Amino acid sequence: MADRMAFLTTPRSERERRDARERLGDRREVYRPGEPLPLVGGQAGRCMDCGLPFCHSACPLGNLVPEWNRLAADGDWHAAADRLLATNNFPEFTGRLCPAPCESACVLAIDGAAVAIKNVELAIADRAWEQGWDRPQPADRCSRTGGGRRVAVVGSGPAGLAAAQQLTRAGHAVTVYEREDRAGGLLRYGIPPFRLEKHRLDRRLGQLRDEGTEFRTGVRVGRDVPGEELRAGYDAVVVAVGAAARRELPVPGRALPGVHQAMDYLTWANRVDEGDRPVSPLSAEGRDVVIVGGGDTAADCLGTALRERAATVVQLDINPRPPGRRAPGQPWPVHPKVYRETTSHEESGAAEAGPRVFAATTLGFEPGPDGRLAAVRFAEADPADRSPRPGTERCVPAQLALLALGFTGPEPDGLFPQLGLALGPDGALERDDGFASGVPGVFVAGDAGRGQSLVVWAIAEGRAAAAAVDRYLRGWTELPAPIGASARALSL
């Protein structure tokens, strides 16, 4: 039996990473392979199993964190996996990619170190695969013949995949349409392999296929398959196309050769990793690189550029450097904006590649004699209105600039008017709290309806939208609906 007072006696520790310099020599996952289960169980034992687990409120999936923590602490990994998979279709993704708002809401985080929930989740998820506990769950023949309907899912990111898996397991015949040549959405081409090795994605896609989900890749719905044809051929449609419309930076020199959107850069780098071509046409090798942006996409660009052997990498973040601890206006249990170093920033320090500049507003891109990008001009940003402070302007050399400014909503697409869908004032597709678009049988899930968000919210949306579709088709559902479409992250 685990020590019930471990939260007082056992300090927090996290999964061990490979040496930063070693990581720069490959694109493999940053963590050391394998993880001693007694160590993870000891960390899980720090969970207080408190009466009001705020980690539930912070997690849109409603993950049963105290339950699987206690089971892991007691060494019952199979039961822990059962409880984890009861609420999360893809814990191997969230365990690697989610920023863990559940940890921010952990009761131990009030005045100490939270339980390492994300590390425990990842250990359980990986062990479930290794031991064969996370098996395909095809619907039985009776459910398929007795009540199954045909459902189309447009988009194969985490929301689309979660909706597809839930609906397939419920007995419906699901076809997932993906415009790219491979399924996975941003999990495939937007996330570098050092954060998510693609064999893990392929393994999960294989499971969906074994369960009966059909994938049609390289198909742009709205062009290759008109919306009217889609509605005529299926009993319900789930639109889960994500929020891929990139924010722009309208400053002088934006059109110069050498200035690119971050997602274009990451897509090419991932295609190299997939074996599509030997070298990316946007490779950072030997170049001075400037990344404009301060979020996860910017960090992914940083780690990728370092692995491509960039000469220097400077990251410009328009926001001031966050404090090291919670600010008074962001008390527990909200997920605070505090200073964090990603694994890419660790690697940048090891490589002495260049600074991370806070409170920096980009003024323009300067050409060289050949007409290509030669420098990026920026200034210190006033924290009040982000305007440039006089006398602080300077330039840094750059032959490659990457814009990592986030996304505004789904990309304008001919599919939307074909299906009768409309964009709301926030740039996302309109829908009601039950994920219905207002067009009978057409539902909207994920970032397409929510706006740019986290992988854990996308999975929760996919699960909830699947329940709404199942209820629409049958008149009832047993599928869980962890959130409504209007649900938002815990905040003040």
Side-chain angles (χ1 to χ4, degrees):
M1 182 67 68
D3 179 7
R4 301 302 187 193
M5 302 298 287
F7 67 94
L8 293 175
T9 60
T10 303
R12 174 185 167 109
S13 65
E14 299 192 27
R15 189 172 187 179
E16 190 175 357
R17 298 167 181 160
R18 297 188 290 132
D19 180 76
R21 291 188 178 277
E22 175 192 337
R23 302 195 309 249
L24 292 174
D26 58 57
R27 298 173 188 265
R28 292 185 291 110
E29 218 165 62
V30 299
Y31 297 108
R32 293 195 180 280
E35 194 160 22
L37 295 184
L39 176 63
V40 178
Q43 287 300 302
R46 297 182 68 243
C47 178
M48 298 170 62
D49 196 11
C50 48
L52 292 174
F54 281 82
C55 50
H56 281 300
S57 302
C59 178
L61 284 167
N63 278 336
L64 306 172
V65 177
E67 292 186 32
W68 43 257
N69 267 333
R70 181 53 51 205
L71 291 164
D74 291 341
D76 193 345
W77 294 94
H78 195 169
D82 285 343
R83 302 312 290 147
L84 176 59
L85 293 167
T87 59
N88 189 347
N89 295 71
F90 316 128
E92 73 276 23
F93 299 162
T94 53
R96 290 175 167 84
L97 304 177
C98 182
C102 54
E103 293 189 13
S104 298
C106 174
V107 170
L108 287 179
I110 295 175
D111 58 1
V115 174
I117 298 171
K118 183 174 172 178
N119 283 186
V120 178
E121 175 186 39
L122 184 54
I124 298 171
D126 285 351
R127 185 156 178 79
W129 279 108
E130 292 164 5
Q131 299 298 318
W133 300 331
D134 195 347
R135 294 187 295 271
Q137 300 176 38
D140 58 59
R141 185 182 302 274
C142 179
S143 66
R144 281 196 178 277
T145 57
R149 300 290 188 269
R150 286 171 52 80
V151 181
V153 176
V154 185
S156 66
L161 293 179
Q165 184 164 64
Q166 292 293 95
L167 289 166
T168 298
R169 289 177 172 179
H172 301 290
V174 180
T175 301
V176 178
Y177 290 86
E178 169 57 52
R179 67 182 181 179
E180 298 292 347
D181 58 338
R182 298 179 179 89
L186 288 183
L187 295 173
R188 172 74 64 186
Y189 289 128
I191 304 294
F194 54 83
R195 285 220 291 150
L196 178 66
E197 292 179 342
K198 299 306 180 274
H199 69 85
R200 304 186 190 282
L201 173 59
D202 291 332
R203 178 179 61 186
R204 184 60 77 176
L205 293 171
Q207 182 192 68
L208 267 75
R209 291 188 177 97
D210 290 343
E211 292 172 343
T213 301
E214 179 186 352
F215 288 87
R216 293 189 61 189
T217 57
V219 178
R220 185 181 286 271
V221 179
R223 184 190 65 186
D224 303 324
V225 178
E228 297 83 355
E229 181 181 326
L230 197 72
R231 288 195 65 197
Y234 294 90
D235 299 293
V237 176
V238 179
V239 178
V241 294
R246 298 96 178 260
R247 285 194 175 89
E248 263 297 346
L249 186 61
V251 297
R254 167 61 184 91
L256 286 174
V259 183
H260 300 277
Q261 283 282 354
M263 201 49 62
D264 294 334
Y265 171 74
L266 292 173
T267 296
W268 277 115
N270 275 297
R271 286 194 174 278
V272 169
D273 291 317
E274 294 279 4
D276 292 348
R277 59 188 301 161
V279 179
S280 165
L282 304 183
S283 174
E285 184 175 3
R287 296 180 176 182
D288 299 305
V289 180
V290 171
I291 301 168
V292 183
D296 288 341
T297 300
D300 289 343
C301 288
L302 173 61
T304 301
L306 293 172
R307 285 162 175 78
E308 290 179 340
R309 297 291 186 260
T312 63
V313 188
V314 175
Q315 182 183 351
L316 305 179
D317 188 339
I318 197 170
N319 297 299
R321 175 170 170 150
R325 299 176 63 85
R326 287 180 182 271
Q330 297 177 328
W332 178 89
V334 303
H335 189 57
K337 186 175 178 59
V338 297
Y339 178 74
R340 295 180 175 91
E341 270 203 353
T342 68
T343 58
S344 295
H345 293 113
E346 290 177 4
E347 293 154 4
S348 181
E352 299 179 353
R356 182 182 181 187
V357 184
F358 289 96
T361 183
T362 305
L363 303 177
F365 303 101
E366 304 292 335
D370 60 356
R372 298 183 62 85
L373 175 69
V376 176
R377 184 162 45 89
F378 67 97
E380 184 178 331
D382 190 308
D385 59 4
R386 296 183 172 181
S387 62
R389 283 185 167 173
T392 63
E393 184 175 322
R394 59 191 176 110
C395 282
V396 291
Q399 298 83 52
L400 177 65
L402 303 172
L403 308 183
L405 304 172
F407 305 89
T408 59
E411 291 179 305
D413 197 301
L415 172 65
F416 301 158
Q418 291 175 20
L419 290 179
L421 303 181
L423 293 174
D426 59 354
L429 290 173
E430 292 184 338
R431 59 186 183 171
D432 64 21
D433 201 43
F435 302 89
S437 67
V439 179
V442 179
F443 298 79
V444 177
D447 289 3
R450 173 170 295 275
Q452 181 182 354
S453 190
L454 304 176
V455 62
V456 67
W457 280 94
I459 297 171
E461 287 239 349
R463 288 172 65 88
V469 172
D470 191 44
R471 183 180 298 106
Y472 168 80
L473 295 173
R474 300 180 195 266
W476 57 274
T477 186
E478 293 181 341
L479 294 178
I483 58 171
S486 62
R488 290 294 179 266
L490 188 65
S491 62
L492 293 178

